[in-house]
């Protein structure tokens, strides 16, 4: 079975509930609430991008992401992770789906690290992708980001042997690719 692709291939992006979190589809209306988290310069220590200049700039970026990928064979999906108990935002999850392959990423906001939120949210994204028929999921992390690398391994992702030399804000960086291969469901 091949996964649906394109911006609207399988309809609306679902809420993904977990034991402690709810992953909500990213919408421009999240910008005001999420601005402080995304404006934290430390959030970008291991990822491309810069803090947004204003709530309006973040709203524009969220609108671009929520509109989906302009390529018809690819689908962008983004969620903000919110704690169930107090509704606070704890992170951001992304997936880019193309056929039976998806690339995923997770970001945990300051004050919410080291609590398993990234793993819990990413596990929900992996399960949703598997339900679409995705068979390979890829994550990439800066090797200095030990927490992100550990999250990938804890989810069953296997690191590639080779690393990727990158440049992050003009400085050398090294990324590792992690792969999770999902089995076909037995048909009965």
């Amino acid at each position: 079975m091949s996964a649906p692709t394109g911006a609207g291939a399988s309809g609306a992006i679902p809420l993904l509930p977990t034991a402690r979190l709810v992953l909500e589809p990213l919408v421009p209306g999240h910008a005001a609430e999420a601005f402080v988290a995304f404006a934290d310069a430390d959030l970008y220590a291991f990822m491309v991008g810069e803090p947004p200049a204003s709530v309006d700039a973040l709203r524009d970026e969220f609108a671009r992401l929520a509109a989906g990928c302009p390529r018809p064979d690819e689908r962008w999906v983004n969620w903000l992770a919110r704690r169930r108990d107090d509704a606070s935002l704890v992170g951001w999850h992304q997936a880019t789906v193309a056929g039976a392959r998806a690339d995923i990423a997770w970001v945990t906001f300051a004050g919410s690290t080291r609590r398993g939120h990234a793993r819990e949210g990413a596990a929900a994204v992996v399960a949703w992708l598997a339900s679409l028929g995705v068979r390979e999921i890829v994550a990439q992390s800066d090797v200095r980001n030990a927490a992100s690398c550990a999250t990938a391994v804890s989810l069953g992702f296997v690191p590639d042997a080779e690393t990727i030399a990158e440049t992050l804000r003009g400085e050398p960086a090294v990324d590792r690719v992690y792969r999770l291969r999902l089995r076909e469901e037995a048909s009965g």
Side-chain angles (χ1 to χ4, degrees), residues 89-181:
L89 293 177
V90 298
W92 176 31
H93 291 267
Q94 305 170 291
T96 300
V97 184
R101 176 190 156 128
D103 292 272
I104 68 170
W106 49 83
V107 175
T108 304
F109 299 144
S112 297
T113 60
R114 306 278 190 229
R115 296 185 179 143
H117 296 310
R119 185 190 190 291
E120 188 172 332
V125 173
V126 166
W128 179 72
L129 291 167
S131 78
L132 293 181
V134 169
R135 293 293 157 238
E136 181 181 44
I137 303 174
V138 177
Q140 184 172 326
S141 182
D142 187 308
V143 298
R144 298 170 296 174
N145 189 345
S148 185
C149 295
T151 296
V153 170
S154 76
L155 290 164
F157 284 76
V158 176
D160 283 359
E162 288 89 32
T163 56
I164 302 169
E166 301 263 310
T167 302
L168 186 61
R169 281 178 279 295
E171 298 293 324
V174 176
D175 278 11
R176 182 164 310 279
V177 172
Y178 294 83
R179 296 177 193 279
L180 179 63
R181 290 190 171 87

Side-chain angles (χ1 to χ4, degrees), residues 51-110:
S54 65
V55 171
D56 287 339
L58 186 59
R59 186 177 296 110
D60 291 347
E61 178 62 9
F62 284 2
R64 184 184 73 78
L65 292 171
C69 183
R71 292 180 293 279
D73 61 341
E74 193 171 288
R75 183 178 186 204
W76 293 344
V77 190
N78 288 269
W79 295 269
L80 287 181
R82 186 181 297 281
R83 285 179 23 172
R84 286 176 176 251
D85 62 355
D86 65 4
S88 63
L89 293 177
V90 298
W92 176 31
H93 291 267
Q94 305 170 291
T96 300
V97 184
R101 176 190 156 128
D103 292 272
I104 68 170
W106 49 83
V107 175
T108 304
F109 299 144

